[in-house]
Amino acid sequence: MSGVSLEIELSGIKLRNPFILASGFIDDDPSLLSRAWKAGFGALTTKSLTPKPREGYKPPIIAFTKAGYLNAVGLSNPGVDSLPRLLSKLPRESKVIVSIAGSTVDDFRYGAEKSNLDNVDIIELNLSCPHVKSMGMDIIHDISYSLDIIDAVVSTSDKPVYIKLGLTDTYLSLVSKALDKGVSGFTIMNTIKALAIDTASLKPILSNVYGGLSGPAIHPIAVRMVYEVYREYQVPIIGVGGVMDWEDVVEFIAAGASAVGVGSYLFLKPVESVKDLINDLMKFLEDNGYGNVVDLRGVAHKK
Amino acid sequence: MSGVSLEIELSGIKLRNPFILASGFIDDDPSLLSRAWKAGFGALTTKSLTPKPREGYKPPIIAFTKAGYLNAVGLSNPGVDSLPRLLSKLPRESKVIVSIAGSTVDDFRYGAEKSNLDNVDIIELNLSCPHVKSMGMDIIHDISYSLDIIDAVVSTSDKPVYIKLGLTDTYLSLVSKALDKGVSGFTIMNTIKALAIDTASLKPILSNVYGGLSGPAIHPIAVRMVYEVYREYQVPIIGVGGVMDWEDVVEFIAAGASAVGVGSYLFLKPVESVKDLINDLMKFLEDNGYGNVVDLRGVAHKK
Amino acid sequence: MNYVKAYVVDNIHVYRDVYHLILRTEIERLLPGHFIMIWIPEVEEVPMAPSLYRDGIMRITYKVVGETTGYMSRLDRGEKIYIRGPLGKPYKLNGYGRYLLIGGGVGVAPLIYSAHILSERGVEFTYVEGVPNSNYEMFIDEAISLGGEALLYTEDGSKGVKGYPTEYLKTNYRYYDYILACGPDEFNRAVYRLCREYGLNCQISFERIVKCGVGVCGSCVLEGTGLLVCLDGPVFNISTLYEYGYSP
Amino acid sequence: MNYVKAYVVDNIHVYRDVYHLILRTEIERLLPGHFIMIWIPEVEEVPMAPSLYRDGIMRITYKVVGETTGYMSRLDRGEKIYIRGPLGKPYKLNGYGRYLLIGGGVGVAPLIYSAHILSERGVEFTYVEGVPNSNYEMFIDEAISLGGEALLYTEDGSKGVKGYPTEYLKTNYRYYDYILACGPDEFNRAVYRLCREYGLNCQISFERIVKCGVGVCGSCVLEGTGLLVCLDGPVFNISTLYEYGYSP
Ligand SMILES: Cc1cc2nc3c(=O)[nH]c(=O)nc-3n(C[C@H](O)[C@H](O)[C@H](O)COP(=O)(O)OP(=O)(O)OC[C@H]3O[C@@H](n4cnc5c(N)ncnc54)[C@H](O)[C@@H]3O)c2cc1C
Ligand SMILES: Cc1cc2nc3c(=O)[nH]c(=O)nc-3n(C[C@H](O)[C@H](O)[C@H](O)COP(=O)(O)OP(=O)(O)OC[C@H]3O[C@@H](n4cnc5c(N)ncnc54)[C@H](O)[C@@H]3O)c2cc1C
Ligand SMILES: Cc1cc2nc3c(=O)[nH]c(=O)nc-3n(C[C@H](O)[C@H](O)[C@H](O)COP(=O)(O)O)c2cc1C
Ligand SMILES: Cc1cc2nc3c(=O)[nH]c(=O)nc-3n(C[C@H](O)[C@H](O)[C@H](O)COP(=O)(O)O)c2cc1C
Ligand code: FES
Ligand code: FES
């Protein structure tokens, strides 16, 4: 199609392009991950998997706001033991990031052990889910607890370990300490705790009352966090948050992201729509004389 | 016009309606505050005033994002000494909230002293500006420093003191401690630190690089904070953040806000447009059988 | 995709645990096969495919199977619930050809709505309803009043033809250009197999647990296919099902 | 309200510290009196009211007064800058009546653009430009080529009429239906006073420090009036100015 290369590397893993299915999206059945891979993603992230299966909250689990989406899925997932089954339909060359969640150090260690599979490329620790007690922001607000989890996982697994960050007062200091512990990269960012009240019923929409804000609303915050982490540490970053078109993608990469997560983009769209993002990025690179997406990385920092 | 009453009370101060001009908007000249009062606001907040006048940053000081606005005005203001002049054109019956900023306890005390004027109704402490070093989030991230400031102001002034909160890990604990110190209410919320990169130039747009995110993007986060603070403490709350239409207003009040701040709504609109918000709220109340806006307060909490 | 109010105009008991909920509401164009999410605050939100929507009046034909449908059955006139939609892909209906509408249980809801549309367009259709016994008859009269042919199949032979409606398909498929089906999973699987065998143009509506309704949570996957009932369906053409590896 | 690219086609030195920057760019309909923000990354963003915009080609007539305009003067062909707009309220131009366009300094930029529009519409206009001396003459030839009457006023009388262009207004105002003015503050004040006195229909364009350009920061207030140059202006009808208590 064109001479432009979209290939990138994340901690030694080669991806055919920088688009990564974000954690939490359509992967309850092996067939869904396989469809997403065929759709063209460079890598796929699983839902956050816990040691035991979780039902999640009852509907409504999502709400639409003017500037984004709220979700309180409640970390519904088939349990980390189901990982071999979940990945069973993926071809050899596919790239997989396993997201792990839990409420104890042992939960995460267990998840890391179970992720020690050939077709798993990266382990992502979800320390930042904003709508499940003891499984998310409660962790990342407590840096020393977070570091214990990181320690346990890094010593259990040989896979590159990424931390999924949320917006906290201290995330830059967590990044620095996590790097000392041997973390390879960061996925930035998770949703932000928020609330939507329906103006017809005057009730909170979500059954869980609070949910996580995603979509265009959080994009400028995610870009800031990517920019700050890249400025300080130049580590591999997966920028996630409000990617809705090529402009958002370009912003993330120019801010320093190596790869870009796609989540809310998929509201009401089939997973095949990722093709539009891929093509539009390609076109942007061509039009602006980039031979390689890697050359765009971090350019917003250049004087 | 109709039998519906929009009158509210904030810490004993009667407002003709719950709409408050948010801090930072068009008040560099006495004529601007007077025009805003005539436009129909229930109260007016001044820009955050510092002991000395501040120039602020050079343009670009604002950026448009898909879901909101970024600003890095840099707390430009004519200095708190100019307060009598700023307020000089307002009629007796107008209601004024003076926002104070600073980088030391003494700065805030000085601001409180200078705000001890007859036509000042409430003092708001801006502890949460996200784009000026040592004058904003640096303060509110440090609860004990924040409490020192609050102590100094509460003991200096007889006016009701409100705290302008930003999104922090610990804001609920700050609220509780601030109430113990004699704070009367809370303005929720300030902007969130964020970044926009222009995809034409691939440079950060704002001269300050980082800015504060406002508008629709932050609304669900602000609603959540209002809801949480109301649920725990039932104190007077001014809900600010992404009020763009009556739905956002209704959400804030149903979540527990006594009054509603209007800020980004004014991008590219004359201040007189607040009339639409006032009329639409009136209509909502009428259509839904509320005789009084006060009856709507906190209804989203009711079982 | 915000909620709109829906006022209960009536809540008609049909038989045993089946009701027609008649709602007054204003949502966008909702076609046969489309579904909506019905939200009852502090209870739950559930998917329903209306059996009619016209002039701001919506009919939901539902069966009480649990908490939310139980709550629905106790709704009184004038009460208010909240809906969002339309969601999903509806049946594709042409203005020509001969249609067979075949289903069972409350699954027939979107079929009878299809019958209304086909009737308006002057298209010939046969409506075949399968039920356990004569007490469960649902839309036969309505189908006839719309000018269609209508056949009832009962498992016990208490009325109409004894047996399953798939029998009708087996013997009469040559007569039809288009098949629209909707029913329990087992029924849908049988229809799929037959229509594939006979090479028919057939659309089937499926049910799965719908949580988000907008294609992001994965809850409603048609196992093994990667297809989402809420986004790619609930109505699927069998050629799509085949392409995605549906194997009943 | 995002930035669009603008490519430098030319950067023409007019005299001393005044230049025409010719840009190729695609923005929405920009009328005489509208302004844009010109952003030079890592330098600054400044407001400019183009002296012409047509077929994707924009002319900015600017005077070097500081860092950003200094930087602008060093832009070469092919270089890229960024603009957003159009912003503010433009001159209201009718297709009839007799117009007097009166200004001084680079302030005349939106006036000559107005002259282009009036000329296209076949409307009669007189263009009066006031400058310190003959070296500063700017758009007299252009105005004549547009079929208008054009008069130069110089302070030292080195060319045209000696004196200020307000003199022209004083003696000839009866002849005009509409006055468009733009110039330094002192000039604008004088025009305001005269037009109020004579009861003329007059629009004046003002300059203040524009920072946000969208009516939120308050930096560009016309002191004492509560009017914002970036949002309510930069072009004001003198009746609005009067209503808001402008008192020069
Ligand atoms: C596209 C679609 C259209 C439907 N149309 C109709 C209709 O017209 N009439 C009708 O009676 N029913 C319809 N259903 C099924 C209906 O949604 C369920 O019967 C209802 O959700 C049960 O809720 P409950 O709380 O009463 O039951 P629960 O006690 O929650 O569960 C009882 C059973 O209902 C089913 N169910 C529960 N939750 C859901 C859910 N979120 N999504 C789907 N099924 C669920 C499961 O099989 C479950 O075992 C439709 C389902 C789908 C997916
Ligand atoms: C609506 C409008 C239209 C304008 N159109 C033109 C035009 O067509 N041609 C032209 O030469 N000039 C125009 N100006 C003025 C122009 O914006 C300033 O000359 C320019 O901003 C100076 O920038 P600087 O960095 O070179 O100067 P600086 O060194 O920053 O300042 C020099 C002087 O320029 C003025 N100035 C500085 N910053 C601003 C600002 N943000 N907004 C307004 N004035 C400022 C002040 O008077 C200041 O004292 C216009 C101004 C406005 C408000
Ligand atoms: C429905 C939904 C489910 C999600 N589930 C998870 C999850 O299980 N684990 C996780 O780390 N993040 C989860 N997220 C967060 C996303 O991975 C992503 O970080 C966030 O949505 C921001 O990206 P977006 O704006 O592109 O959606 C979920 C988000 C949504 C909307
Ligand atoms: C241009 C601009 C300037 C602001 N200046 C201040 C300020 O001086 N002090 C302050 O407390 N908040 C300031 N804010 C924050 C607003 O008061 C308000 O909290 C925030 O914008 C969220 O409300 P909104 O979404 O309605 O704009 C400013 C916001 C903007 C957009
Ligand atoms: S219900 Fe969530 S993907 Fe279909
Ligand atoms: S420049 Fe900010 S209000 Fe006009």
Side-chain angles (χ1 to χ4, degrees), chain B residues 167-207:
Chain B
L167 177 62
T168 62
D169 298 352
T170 52
Y171 75 91
L172 274 176
S173 123
L174 175 63
V175 164
S176 140
K177 290 171 181 150
L179 286 170
D180 292 343
K181 295 277 185 198
V183 156
S184 300
F186 297 89
T187 303
I188 299 173
M189 64 187 288
N190 215 316
T191 56
I192 299 178
K193 188 177 176 186
L195 170 61
I197 294 169
D198 173 55
T199 53
S201 66
L202 297 172
K203 295 287 172 205
I205 294 174
L206 301 173
S207 71

Short mmCIF file of all heavy atoms in Angstrom, two decimals, chain B residues 167-207:
data_model
loop_
_atom_site.label_atom_id
_atom_site.label_comp_id
_atom_site.label_asym_id
_atom_site.label_seq_id
_atom_site.Cartn_x
_atom_site.Cartn_y
_atom_site.Cartn_z
N LEU B 167 -9.49 17.65 41.97
CA LEU B 167 -9.53 16.19 42.11
C LEU B 167 -8.22 15.71 42.71
O LEU B 167 -7.17 15.84 42.09
CB LEU B 167 -9.74 15.54 40.73
CG LEU B 167 -9.73 14.01 40.72
CD1 LEU B 167 -10.87 13.46 41.57
CD2 LEU B 167 -9.81 13.47 39.31
N THR B 168 -8.27 15.21 43.92
CA THR B 168 -7.08 14.65 44.56
C THR B 168 -7.46 13.31 45.18
O THR B 168 -8.64 12.98 45.31
CB THR B 168 -6.55 15.55 45.69
OG1 THR B 168 -7.58 15.66 46.70
CG2 THR B 168 -6.21 16.93 45.18
N ASP B 169 -6.45 12.55 45.56
CA ASP B 169 -6.71 11.24 46.17
C ASP B 169 -7.45 11.39 47.50
O ASP B 169 -8.14 10.48 47.94
CB ASP B 169 -5.39 10.51 46.44
CG ASP B 169 -4.60 10.24 45.17
OD1 ASP B 169 -5.17 10.47 44.08
OD2 ASP B 169 -3.45 9.80 45.27
N THR B 170 -7.26 12.54 48.15
CA THR B 170 -7.65 12.65 49.55
C THR B 170 -8.68 13.74 49.81
O THR B 170 -8.80 14.22 50.93
CB THR B 170 -6.39 12.99 50.38
OG1 THR B 170 -5.79 14.13 49.78
CG2 THR B 170 -5.41 11.83 50.42
N TYR B 171 -9.41 14.14 48.79
CA TYR B 171 -10.22 15.33 49.01
C TYR B 171 -11.33 15.13 50.04
O TYR B 171 -11.70 16.05 50.76
CB TYR B 171 -10.78 15.88 47.68
CG TYR B 171 -11.92 15.08 47.12
CD1 TYR B 171 -13.23 15.40 47.45
CD2 TYR B 171 -11.69 14.02 46.28
CE1 TYR B 171 -14.28 14.67 46.94
CE2 TYR B 171 -12.73 13.29 45.77
CZ TYR B 171 -14.01 13.61 46.11
OH TYR B 171 -15.05 12.88 45.63
N LEU B 172 -11.81 13.91 50.18
CA LEU B 172 -12.86 13.70 51.17
C LEU B 172 -12.32 13.87 52.58
O LEU B 172 -13.01 14.40 53.46
CB LEU B 172 -13.50 12.32 51.00
CG LEU B 172 -14.62 12.24 49.98
CD1 LEU B 172 -15.12 10.80 49.81
CD2 LEU B 172 -15.80 13.15 50.36
N SER B 173 -11.10 13.48 52.77
CA SER B 173 -10.53 13.65 54.11
C SER B 173 -10.23 15.13 54.36
O SER B 173 -10.41 15.64 55.47
CB SER B 173 -9.31 12.73 54.26
OG SER B 173 -8.17 13.44 54.58
N LEU B 174 -9.82 15.84 53.29
CA LEU B 174 -9.63 17.29 53.46
C LEU B 174 -10.95 17.97 53.82
O LEU B 174 -11.01 18.85 54.69
CB LEU B 174 -9.06 17.92 52.18
CG LEU B 174 -8.93 19.44 52.21
CD1 LEU B 174 -7.96 19.91 53.29
CD2 LEU B 174 -8.51 20.01 50.86
N VAL B 175 -12.01 17.55 53.18
CA VAL B 175 -13.32 18.15 53.46
C VAL B 175 -13.67 17.98 54.93
O VAL B 175 -14.07 18.93 55.61
CB VAL B 175 -14.42 17.49 52.57
CG1 VAL B 175 -15.82 17.79 53.09
CG2 VAL B 175 -14.28 17.96 51.13
N SER B 176 -13.48 16.80 55.43
CA SER B 176 -13.83 16.54 56.82
C SER B 176 -13.01 17.40 57.77
O SER B 176 -13.52 18.03 58.70
CB SER B 176 -13.67 15.03 57.07
OG SER B 176 -13.12 14.79 58.32
N LYS B 177 -11.71 17.47 57.50
CA LYS B 177 -10.85 18.27 58.38
C LYS B 177 -11.13 19.76 58.24
O LYS B 177 -11.06 20.51 59.21
CB LYS B 177 -9.38 17.97 58.09
CG LYS B 177 -9.01 16.56 58.57
CD LYS B 177 -7.63 16.16 58.10
CE LYS B 177 -7.34 14.72 58.59
NZ LYS B 177 -6.45 14.00 57.67
N ALA B 178 -11.42 20.19 57.03
CA ALA B 178 -11.70 21.61 56.80
C ALA B 178 -12.97 22.02 57.55
O ALA B 178 -13.06 23.13 58.10
CB ALA B 178 -11.85 21.88 55.31
N LEU B 179 -13.95 21.13 57.57
CA LEU B 179 -15.19 21.44 58.29
C LEU B 179 -14.90 21.61 59.78
O LEU B 179 -15.44 22.52 60.42
CB LEU B 179 -16.23 20.34 58.05
CG LEU B 179 -16.86 20.34 56.65
CD1 LEU B 179 -17.69 19.08 56.42
CD2 LEU B 179 -17.71 21.60 56.44
N ASP B 180 -14.03 20.77 60.31
CA ASP B 180 -13.65 20.90 61.72
C ASP B 180 -13.01 22.26 62.00
O ASP B 180 -13.12 22.80 63.09
CB ASP B 180 -12.65 19.81 62.11
CG ASP B 180 -13.29 18.42 62.11
OD1 ASP B 180 -14.54 18.35 62.12
OD2 ASP B 180 -12.54 17.42 62.07
N LYS B 181 -12.35 22.80 61.00
CA LYS B 181 -11.67 24.10 61.16
C LYS B 181 -12.63 25.27 60.97
O LYS B 181 -12.21 26.41 61.03
CB LYS B 181 -10.55 24.22 60.12
CG LYS B 181 -9.43 23.23 60.27
CD LYS B 181 -8.42 23.70 61.30
CE LYS B 181 -7.24 22.74 61.35
NZ LYS B 181 -6.47 22.91 62.62
N GLY B 182 -13.87 25.00 60.64
CA GLY B 182 -14.82 26.09 60.51
C GLY B 182 -15.11 26.54 59.09
O GLY B 182 -15.70 27.61 58.88
N VAL B 183 -14.71 25.76 58.14
CA VAL B 183 -15.05 26.09 56.76
C VAL B 183 -16.56 25.92 56.55
O VAL B 183 -17.17 25.02 57.14
CB VAL B 183 -14.23 25.18 55.80
CG1 VAL B 183 -14.91 25.05 54.46
CG2 VAL B 183 -12.82 25.73 55.65
N SER B 184 -17.17 26.78 55.74
CA SER B 184 -18.64 26.75 55.59
C SER B 184 -19.13 25.93 54.41
O SER B 184 -20.26 25.46 54.42
CB SER B 184 -19.16 28.17 55.39
OG SER B 184 -18.82 28.97 56.49
N GLY B 185 -18.32 25.81 53.37
CA GLY B 185 -18.80 25.11 52.20
C GLY B 185 -17.68 24.83 51.22
O GLY B 185 -16.52 25.18 51.47
N PHE B 186 -18.05 24.23 50.09
CA PHE B 186 -17.05 23.81 49.13
C PHE B 186 -17.49 24.15 47.71
O PHE B 186 -18.66 24.06 47.37
CB PHE B 186 -16.80 22.30 49.24
CG PHE B 186 -16.25 21.95 50.59
CD1 PHE B 186 -17.11 21.66 51.65
CD2 PHE B 186 -14.89 22.00 50.83
CE1 PHE B 186 -16.60 21.40 52.92
CE2 PHE B 186 -14.37 21.74 52.09
CZ PHE B 186 -15.24 21.43 53.14
N THR B 187 -16.51 24.57 46.93
CA THR B 187 -16.74 24.79 45.51
C THR B 187 -16.05 23.64 44.79
O THR B 187 -14.85 23.44 44.95
CB THR B 187 -16.17 26.15 45.09
OG1 THR B 187 -16.76 27.16 45.90
CG2 THR B 187 -16.49 26.43 43.63
N ILE B 188 -16.85 22.89 44.07
CA ILE B 188 -16.37 21.63 43.48
C ILE B 188 -16.68 21.63 42.00
O ILE B 188 -17.85 21.61 41.63
CB ILE B 188 -17.07 20.42 44.14
CG1 ILE B 188 -16.74 20.39 45.64
CG2 ILE B 188 -16.68 19.13 43.46
CD1 ILE B 188 -17.52 19.33 46.41
N MET B 189 -15.76 21.74 41.12
CA MET B 189 -14.35 21.54 41.24
C MET B 189 -13.55 22.50 40.37
O MET B 189 -14.11 23.20 39.53
CB MET B 189 -14.01 20.11 40.80
CG MET B 189 -14.33 19.84 39.31
SD MET B 189 -14.11 18.09 38.85
CE MET B 189 -12.32 17.94 38.87
N ASN B 190 -12.25 22.45 40.56
CA ASN B 190 -11.34 23.18 39.70
C ASN B 190 -11.03 22.33 38.47
O ASN B 190 -11.50 21.21 38.36
CB ASN B 190 -10.05 23.51 40.46
CG ASN B 190 -9.49 24.87 40.05
OD1 ASN B 190 -9.45 25.18 38.86
ND2 ASN B 190 -9.07 25.66 41.00
N THR B 191 -10.24 22.87 37.57
CA THR B 191 -9.85 22.13 36.38
C THR B 191 -8.85 21.02 36.73
O THR B 191 -8.29 21.01 37.82
CB THR B 191 -9.21 23.08 35.36
OG1 THR B 191 -8.12 23.74 36.01
CG2 THR B 191 -10.22 24.12 34.91
N ILE B 192 -8.64 20.10 35.78
CA ILE B 192 -7.70 18.99 35.97
C ILE B 192 -6.52 19.20 35.02
O ILE B 192 -6.69 19.50 33.84
CB ILE B 192 -8.38 17.65 35.64
CG1 ILE B 192 -9.57 17.41 36.58
CG2 ILE B 192 -7.38 16.49 35.77
CD1 ILE B 192 -10.34 16.13 36.28
N LYS B 193 -5.33 19.02 35.55
CA LYS B 193 -4.12 19.22 34.74
C LYS B 193 -4.14 18.32 33.52
O LYS B 193 -4.36 17.11 33.63
CB LYS B 193 -2.89 18.92 35.59
CG LYS B 193 -1.58 19.27 34.91
CD LYS B 193 -0.40 19.01 35.83
CE LYS B 193 0.92 19.26 35.12
NZ LYS B 193 2.07 18.87 35.99
N ALA B 194 -3.90 18.91 32.36
CA ALA B 194 -4.01 18.16 31.12
C ALA B 194 -3.14 18.81 30.06
O ALA B 194 -2.52 19.85 30.31
CB ALA B 194 -5.47 18.10 30.67
N LEU B 195 -3.11 18.20 28.90
CA LEU B 195 -2.21 18.67 27.84
C LEU B 195 -2.84 18.43 26.48
O LEU B 195 -3.44 17.39 26.25
CB LEU B 195 -0.89 17.90 27.95
CG LEU B 195 0.15 18.02 26.83
CD1 LEU B 195 0.61 19.46 26.68
CD2 LEU B 195 1.35 17.14 27.12
N ALA B 196 -2.72 19.40 25.61
CA ALA B 196 -3.18 19.21 24.24
C ALA B 196 -2.02 19.49 23.30
O ALA B 196 -1.32 20.49 23.44
CB ALA B 196 -4.34 20.14 23.91
N ILE B 197 -1.83 18.57 22.35
CA ILE B 197 -0.79 18.75 21.35
C ILE B 197 -1.47 19.01 20.01
O ILE B 197 -2.37 18.28 19.61
CB ILE B 197 0.10 17.49 21.28
CG1 ILE B 197 0.87 17.32 22.59
CG2 ILE B 197 1.06 17.56 20.09
CD1 ILE B 197 1.55 15.99 22.75
N ASP B 198 -1.04 20.08 19.37
CA ASP B 198 -1.63 20.43 18.09
C ASP B 198 -1.11 19.46 17.02
O ASP B 198 0.10 19.24 16.91
CB ASP B 198 -1.25 21.87 17.74
CG ASP B 198 -1.68 22.24 16.34
OD1 ASP B 198 -2.87 22.08 16.04
OD2 ASP B 198 -0.82 22.66 15.55
N THR B 199 -2.04 18.88 16.24
CA THR B 199 -1.61 17.87 15.28
C THR B 199 -1.10 18.48 13.97
O THR B 199 -0.60 17.77 13.12
CB THR B 199 -2.74 16.88 14.95
OG1 THR B 199 -3.89 17.62 14.56
CG2 THR B 199 -3.07 16.02 16.15
N ALA B 200 -1.23 19.79 13.84
CA ALA B 200 -0.63 20.43 12.67
C ALA B 200 0.84 20.72 12.96
O ALA B 200 1.73 20.36 12.20
CB ALA B 200 -1.38 21.69 12.30
N SER B 201 1.11 21.33 14.10
CA SER B 201 2.49 21.71 14.43
C SER B 201 3.20 20.67 15.27
O SER B 201 4.41 20.72 15.43
CB SER B 201 2.47 23.03 15.20
OG SER B 201 1.83 22.83 16.46
N LEU B 202 2.43 19.70 15.82
CA LEU B 202 2.97 18.67 16.72
C LEU B 202 3.64 19.28 17.95
O LEU B 202 4.58 18.70 18.52
CB LEU B 202 3.91 17.74 15.97
CG LEU B 202 3.23 16.93 14.85
CD1 LEU B 202 4.24 16.17 14.01
CD2 LEU B 202 2.19 15.98 15.43
N LYS B 203 3.15 20.42 18.38
CA LYS B 203 3.67 21.08 19.58
C LYS B 203 2.55 21.20 20.61
O LYS B 203 1.39 21.34 20.23
CB LYS B 203 4.13 22.51 19.25
CG LYS B 203 5.30 22.60 18.30
CD LYS B 203 6.58 22.21 18.97
CE LYS B 203 7.72 22.10 17.96
NZ LYS B 203 8.77 21.19 18.39
N PRO B 204 2.91 21.23 21.89
CA PRO B 204 1.90 21.59 22.90
C PRO B 204 1.32 22.95 22.55
O PRO B 204 2.07 23.86 22.15
CB PRO B 204 2.70 21.64 24.20
CG PRO B 204 3.87 20.74 23.98
CD PRO B 204 4.21 20.90 22.52
N ILE B 205 0.02 23.10 22.68
CA ILE B 205 -0.59 24.36 22.26
C ILE B 205 -0.32 25.48 23.26
O ILE B 205 0.05 26.58 22.90
CB ILE B 205 -2.12 24.18 22.07
CG1 ILE B 205 -2.38 23.24 20.88
CG2 ILE B 205 -2.80 25.54 21.85
CD1 ILE B 205 -3.85 22.88 20.68
N LEU B 206 -0.49 25.20 24.53
CA LEU B 206 -0.38 26.26 25.54
C LEU B 206 1.07 26.68 25.74
O LEU B 206 1.98 25.85 25.77
CB LEU B 206 -0.97 25.77 26.86
CG LEU B 206 -2.44 25.36 26.81
CD1 LEU B 206 -2.87 24.73 28.12
CD2 LEU B 206 -3.32 26.56 26.48
N SER B 207 1.25 27.98 25.92
CA SER B 207 2.62 28.47 26.14
C SER B 207 3.19 27.85 27.41
O SER B 207 4.38 27.63 27.53
CB SER B 207 2.63 29.99 26.23
OG SER B 207 2.03 30.43 27.43
#
